[in-house]
Structure formats: C-alpha cells, structure tokens
Amino acid sequence: MQKLNTIIFLLLIVIVAGCKSTQQTREKETLTTTDNSKTSLDWDGVYVGTLPCADCPGIATEMELNKDQTFSLRETYMERDVAPRVSEGTFSWNKQGSTITLNSNGKEIASYLVGENTLIRLGMKGKRITGALADHYNLEKKQIKITGTRWKLTELRGQKVNHSSAFIVFSTENNRVYGNSGCNNFSGSFELKKGNQIGLSQLASTRMACPDMDSEQAFLSAMGMVDNYSISGGTLLMNKARMAPLARFEADFSEK
C-alpha cells in the first residue's frame, strides 16, 4: 500500500510539473505575440510639440521616425536659438515594444513612450515624468496631407533616386502643382477627387539643357499618368490604377 501511495505521489508531481511547464510556455508565447506599440501602431511619421525648458519658454521640437528605425530631431530653444539644433541617428525598442530610445553618435539621448499618434518623453531610467508639467512632455503626430507639403522624389518606377533635387508641391491656391524634375522647374494644375483619386494636367516645364534629360522626361511622364495616391507616415505613393507605384516621395520638412 505504501509503495502504491509513493507511485501515485510521484505521478502527481510529474503531472503538476508538466502543467506548469505548459503554462509557462503559453505565457511566453503570449508575451511574444501580443500586440504592442511596435507591431500594432502606425508609429512612423513626424511628431511635433513644445517641451518644457528649465531656462527658456520652451523647446520647439520636431521629430521624424522612419520605418528603418532612423530618426531626425530638430530642437529650438525658444528665445535662445537662431536655428534649430539637429540630431540624427537610430532608435531601438525595448523588449515590450512600447518604448524607443534615441541613439546619436553612439550615445543615448532620450527615450519616449510610444502611444497612438503620441510620443511621451520619459525621464531618468525610462520613468514617466510626473508633476504639474507632466502633460507638457507629449509630442503629437503631425497629420500629413498631400497639399501644403514639399515631397521629395526618392523612387521612380521602382528604381531608387539618389541625390535628386526633384520634388513636387500641391498648393490649395488655385489647385496649382509645381516642383522640379531634377533640373527644370515645372508647374500645372491638379484635381482631388473622392477615394484619394487625383489628376494632374497642363504640366509645363522650363527647357534648360540638363545632363540627364531622360530621367526628367520619365518623371514628368509618370506624373501625367497618375490617377490616385496614398500616404503612410511621411511617404507619398503616386499610382496608376492598381499597378505598382509610379513614384515614391518622402515629406521634406528641411525647407519650409
């Protein structure tokens, strides 16, 4: 009888250990698959706000987060700076996918909690800042529209464009579109329709002789074919029907 009880006791230990192991495995799987800011939010884009400053009225801040985990930060100390202080680098996520840490020139310069269309500046050791000014440490995501933004060409018909001066601007004033095709300036008109439909017309360009006229003509030809667009973060895709994007642009905030 004692031997039987011992066997039953050992079996119970094995069963309990197995259940615990299964539970731990499930918890681990849940931890790695649960949605978080990194996986479920459209976090890339431009964030703006005025952060508190110890010896000035505030720090006008503009930060762009890119999907390749690079960033560009522009900070202007109000009533002190003539030009913004620019920092660039990469950022990393914490294990929970909720917080990013900015790294520039090999140094960690700041951490932010990532929320829905919001970045919250964190204090020492990644802790939330408390007190009367706590709500002033937020940066809000800038909702970028196709109009009023300078869009820099980065890709044309699937081919990357490097060091190009080509850009396009859609102005609400008289529905005018203008820009540069790489060397020559161009202008025309556009019409926005429902469902992100768009049409460009009456495009005219200056006729200065340029080293790469083929690329310029390809760009203007593509713009004449566009009938719809999409914007994600700071990226504008110009398309024809459901074909592959004719051109890819990035929002350029370096020139206002």
Side-chain angles (χ1 to χ4, degrees):
M1 185 69 177
Q2 183 177 0
K3 185 176 181 180
L4 179 61
N5 289 338
T6 301
I7 294 174
I8 294 174
F9 178 72
L10 291 175
L11 286 174
L12 288 174
I13 291 176
V14 172
I15 293 172
V16 170
C19 291
K20 185 175 182 181
S21 176
T22 301
Q23 181 179 3
Q24 289 176 341
T25 300
R26 288 176 178 174
E27 288 176 351
K28 185 176 180 180
E29 290 175 349
T30 300
L31 180 62
T32 56
T33 58
T34 299
D35 287 342
N36 53 40
S37 297
K38 180 181 179 181
T39 60
S40 62
L41 296 182
D42 184 18
W43 49 261
D44 60 309
V46 178
Y47 296 79
V48 295
T50 301
L51 301 182
C53 175
D55 55 358
C56 71
I59 307 171
T61 305
E62 178 177 284
M63 179 160 57
E64 182 174 7
L65 300 181
N66 303 307
K67 282 191 175 296
D68 62 358
Q69 294 192 199
T70 60
F71 76 90
S72 176
L73 176 64
R74 297 162 63 88
E75 298 175 298
T76 304
Y77 286 69
M78 299 167 65
E79 296 185 1
R80 285 173 47 188
D81 290 342
V82 176
R85 307 179 188 190
V86 180
S87 302
E88 295 181 336
T90 61
F91 62 89
S92 56
W93 290 88
N94 65 351
K95 292 181 179 180
Q96 293 74 29
S98 60
T99 299
I100 60 171
T101 299
L102 309 183
N103 300 274
S104 181
N105 296 322
K107 296 181 180 180
E108 294 183 358
I109 60 174
S111 293
Y112 288 84
L113 180 66
V114 182
E116 183 73 35
N117 297 322
T118 304
L119 295 179
I120 302 174
R121 176 69 181 264
L122 300 177
M124 298 295 292
K125 298 181 180 180
K127 301 295 184 180
R128 289 284 295 267
I129 297 173
T130 58
L133 296 177
D135 292 339
H136 294 271
Y137 284 91
N138 297 356
L139 299 179
E140 300 299 328
K141 189 173 184 180
K142 190 174 182 179
Q143 301 303 315
I144 303 176
K145 299 180 180 180
I146 189 172
T147 56
T149 299
R150 177 186 170 102
W151 299 99
K152 181 179 179 180
L153 179 68
T154 59
E155 188 176 295
L156 183 64
R157 293 184 180 275
Q159 299 297 316
K160 289 186 177 180
V161 178
N162 298 316
H163 309 295
S164 174
S165 59
F167 71 92
I168 192 168
V169 175
F170 298 88
S171 172
T172 55
E173 184 176 353
N174 298 322
N175 281 6
R176 178 171 169 260
V177 59
Y178 64 90
N180 185 282
S181 53
C183 178
N184 282 286
N185 295 324
F186 69 89
S187 63
S189 60
F190 73 96
E191 181 182 6
L192 293 178
K193 304 175 183 177
K194 293 182 179 180
N196 283 8
Q197 300 294 307
I198 188 172
L200 282 67
S201 60
Q202 299 177 343
L203 294 179
S205 172
T206 55
R207 298 184 178 183
M208 183 168 59
C210 302
D212 192 1
M213 294 299 296
D214 290 341
S215 295
E216 290 219 338
Q217 290 302 317
F219 174 68
L220 292 174
S221 175
M223 292 301 95
M225 296 171 61
V226 166
D227 61 14
N228 72 91
Y229 71 93
S230 63
I231 296 176
S232 177
T235 300
L236 166 67
L237 299 180
M238 302 292 285
N239 320 298
K240 178 176 176 58
R242 296 184 179 180
M243 298 168 56
L246 294 172
R248 179 188 298 268
F249 298 83
E250 298 295 333
D252 183 4
F253 299 103
S254 62
E255 298 188 31
K256 302 296 183 179

